[in-house]
Amino acid sequence: MKKGPESESCTLAASGNLVESNPDTNSSNGASAREKDMLPSPGELENVPPKPNTEISRKKLCGYLNKLGIKGPIKTWKSRWFFYDENKCRLLYYRTAQDINPLGSIDLSSASFDCKMENGEGVFEIRTPSRAFILKAISKQAMMYWLQQLQMRRWEFCNTQSRFPVGSSQLVNEPLAGRTSRYVVDNEDFLPLVKTPTEAVGLKAASLPAPQTSTALQNISLKHPWTEIQNTVYKQLWRNSGNVFSFNEFQDHPENLNEEQEAQVETGCAGDFKEGTLDDGRTEPRLNWIRKARWINNGFPGSPEELCREKNSVDKVSVLQQQILTLTEEVKSQKELVKLLHKALEAAQQEKRVSSKYLTATEDKDRLELVRHKVRQIADLTSRLEALEQEKKELEQILTLRDSHIQELKEHVQLLMEKNHAKQEVIMALTEQMARELSDPLQEANTITVETLYKQQEEIEHLKDDIDAYKTQNQFLNSEIHQVTRLWTRVAENEKSLLMKCACLQARNCQMESKYLTVLRKLQEAVPGLPNSHAELVKNLIQEALQWDVKEEAEEVKLRPNKNYEYDEYGFMTVPDYEIEDWKLLAKIQALEIKSNKLRSQEIVEKPLRDRWNSIGELNPSAELKSLIRSGIPVEHRQRVWRWMVSRHCSLIPGHYQRLLEQSRSTEHPACRQIELDLPRTLTNNKHFSSPTSQLIPKLRRVLLAFSWHNPAIGYCQGLNRLAAVALLVLEDEESAFWCLVHIVENLMPEDYYSDTLITSQVDQRVFKDFLSEKLPRLTTHFEQYRIDVSLITFNWFLVAFVDSLISDILLRVWDAFLYEGTKVIFRYALAIFKYNEEEILRIHDSVEIYQYLRFFTRMIMDGRKLMNIAFNDLNPFPMKLLRNRRSAHREELEAELCELEQIKAAYVKERAEQGPQDLKEVASEEEEEI
């Protein structure tokens, strides 16, 4: 952006003229701003102090453009004066530049610009959210100038708006000149800075009349009759009131203004004028002169002589430029002459020095030496002369030989020309003969060929012009896309900050609702001891609280219709569906706590974790990856990471899964009936498995049948259906879910974990009790006091890896670490669950209530981050070697007990076999007696 003079000035220009002015003088209405510039009051001129010298003026954007008006089927171009309002980022348009009220405005803050070469030269569009405006400049250069300037003004306005966050970008706090220069640098990568069109700038362009249409009424706006009347009356007042713009008076008394006032008039400033500047003491003519000066500086010339002087100045400049070129050539030739004279002067000076030495020598010996030196020089020159003479003779001989050779060549060329002439005569004779034979058809063919060639050349020229136009269009559209993208990025950052604030407020709201519902639940438990009126009030409040989620979800669905708040990303229900009426309030409290934890951790924990996952490219085992997996894998990365973890330990055999499916179709497996019984009971709280017609039910059936044929030793065991279902939800592909199930059963879990005896599962329960007594001794003592067998609760945890025990968000985090580290993760989380609820369990002093609490207490865990910290930090150390040793020890004990039981069973069977016949005889004799 060019800087203007130190004081404000305004020059109205047609077709893209930039007019210098101070932005502080702009009002919200462009017309009133220009009226103030044109018609200052005497008080303003005498009382307004001059602007400081450090003020940087801004250029205004205004000029004549044609606007496409559409009235039904009629489309006409109407000439309008356009003026850019910097305060509101609006493009106001008037019928003429002298109008006071605008016909309308275009909001540029949310507008986009486009130019299509198909619409014609100089035509461009401004699209706002409400409508599209089609405008036309006088030339292609003026169009590009308008588009680039509008882009720049939109960029400056958007950067100065307070709606953007203060800390979101440095551009908000930068000075305007810095932002503009940065925009220009960025924009030059796409579209070079367009020069201001010379035919539409300055007094020459402003003096031209407004572009007229074919008829007088065509340019009038019928949509704004009242505005047209006001503008017409206002212009008539201008013409009739000579005391407002008295040009003659200004021309008659130009000498009465001193130099300071003349400078202020030229720059359009109103300053503190000294009294008594006129000889006759009158002040009103002086004010008219100043108004005249401001009128001239606002774009309207005072006299034709100024235009003539401007034209003569252009001719003078061209003459001076021609003189400069002539003088430059003369200077070059003079420089060459000076060089030659310098050489001659050096030779003369050398001769002079030798002669001076000869004359100044006092002895004959010195003179003789000088003469000998001169003789030697003469001999040397003589020898050189002889050599040059010899060289000259040799060159003359060579030249003679060359001349003879050239003469021979000329004779040869003459011979060839004669032959060529003879051939041309033959060709001409043959051509005339052919022309006589094919006179008419040939002439027509030649005519058609010439016309076709001419048309093709014209078409090629048009195509070249189109290529240049499309290149310019492409450059502008690239710059428009670049700027709109940057503006959209800033809006996205602002929206992101607002969403963060909204999430924090929602989290606080959920916490308050949860506390309120907890109080209602306490009152619900105490209802039997309350008076009837109070009990009825508590019931009404509970019923109203249960209806909140229905209303809130309905409103959220209206705002975001594509989002389902009843289920999470994998189809699990967000609010537990308890059948008991008293537990529905508890389910609402759980849902609110889950939502509050998610909202609080979304930006504080989840966003940095997601950024770390986004920065990871190829997956390789490392301590950092282990820490990230323990923290939880984001939804968008979980499928990829699970596939990688499965492929690390399983050799995926191509086509193996399809062969197993073919085998299951041809032959029925013995476990097929049990699989069919377990399918409807799989993940009933998930929408993908809740119905027999769900799409994942057939996939789950095929995965389980394929595994039963893959591992005949296990076949099918209850619990495998839940493991495969979770794998299907995350991996989505049948074959991937099958290999994930193979990885869990054959690699992660110990041998015989899912066998008929479940011996390893029983061993893990004994190992877990040992760890529980070591890590949580108070809780173990409490269980022993009330004879609580925790294996009745924890056995299913280990068998299905907490499926149907934990809420979905925490369950999938457990599975993330479980698939990477193995069964040690199950021990860690099982101990962490009891640690998480230790104080609550210790407050219960009844065995039945303890069992009832342990049945659903895992569903009460809402803070997954806290549970993870307990599992991987508070329970350390947890060495894998210790786990293996205890498994071995308890397995030996269990196998010994099972062996002893087998012996007792065999002895019992043997004893029953020996007593069998005698017992049968006694039974038969008793029946005979009854008969």
Side-chain angles (χ1 to χ4, degrees), residues 137-193:
I138 61 174
S139 65
K140 176 182 176 183
Q141 184 184 5
M143 176 194 72
M144 298 308 300
Y145 179 79
W146 270 96
L147 287 172
Q148 196 171 63
Q149 290 297 322
L150 291 175
Q151 274 189 336
M152 191 181 301
R153 304 309 169 96
R154 179 186 62 186
W155 175 258
E156 293 171 1
F157 179 81
C158 292
N159 279 331
T160 55
Q161 293 306 298
S162 59
R163 59 183 177 182
F164 295 109
V166 176
S168 64
S169 176
Q170 297 178 355
L171 287 174
V172 178
N173 300 321
E174 288 183 359
L176 185 59
R179 292 195 301 270
T180 305
S181 62
R182 178 173 298 183
Y183 164 78
V184 172
V185 172
D186 292 341
N187 198 39
E188 283 182 353
D189 295 338
F190 301 98
L191 184 66
L193 191 63

Side-chain angles (χ1 to χ4, degrees), residues 808-853:
S808 59
D809 182 53
I810 300 176
L811 171 66
L812 292 173
R813 291 183 185 179
V814 173
W815 270 59
D816 293 339
F818 166 62
L819 291 176
Y820 187 75
E821 300 183 45
T823 53
K824 183 174 68 171
V825 173
I826 298 179
F827 282 93
R828 282 183 176 273
Y829 270 100
L831 292 171
I833 289 171
F834 282 106
K835 177 70 175 177
Y836 190 97
N837 297 277
E838 182 178 14
E839 298 301 327
E840 291 290 335
I841 297 173
L842 291 176
R843 282 196 287 266
I844 302 175
H845 299 284
D846 182 77
S847 59
V848 177
E849 291 184 5
I850 292 174
Y851 274 119
Q852 289 179 350
Y853 182 78

Side-chain angles (χ1 to χ4, degrees), residues 690-702:
S690 58
S691 172
T693 59
S694 299
Q695 295 181 355
L696 291 186
I697 292 293
K699 293 184 179 180
L700 179 61
R701 178 186 294 109
R702 290 193 289 269

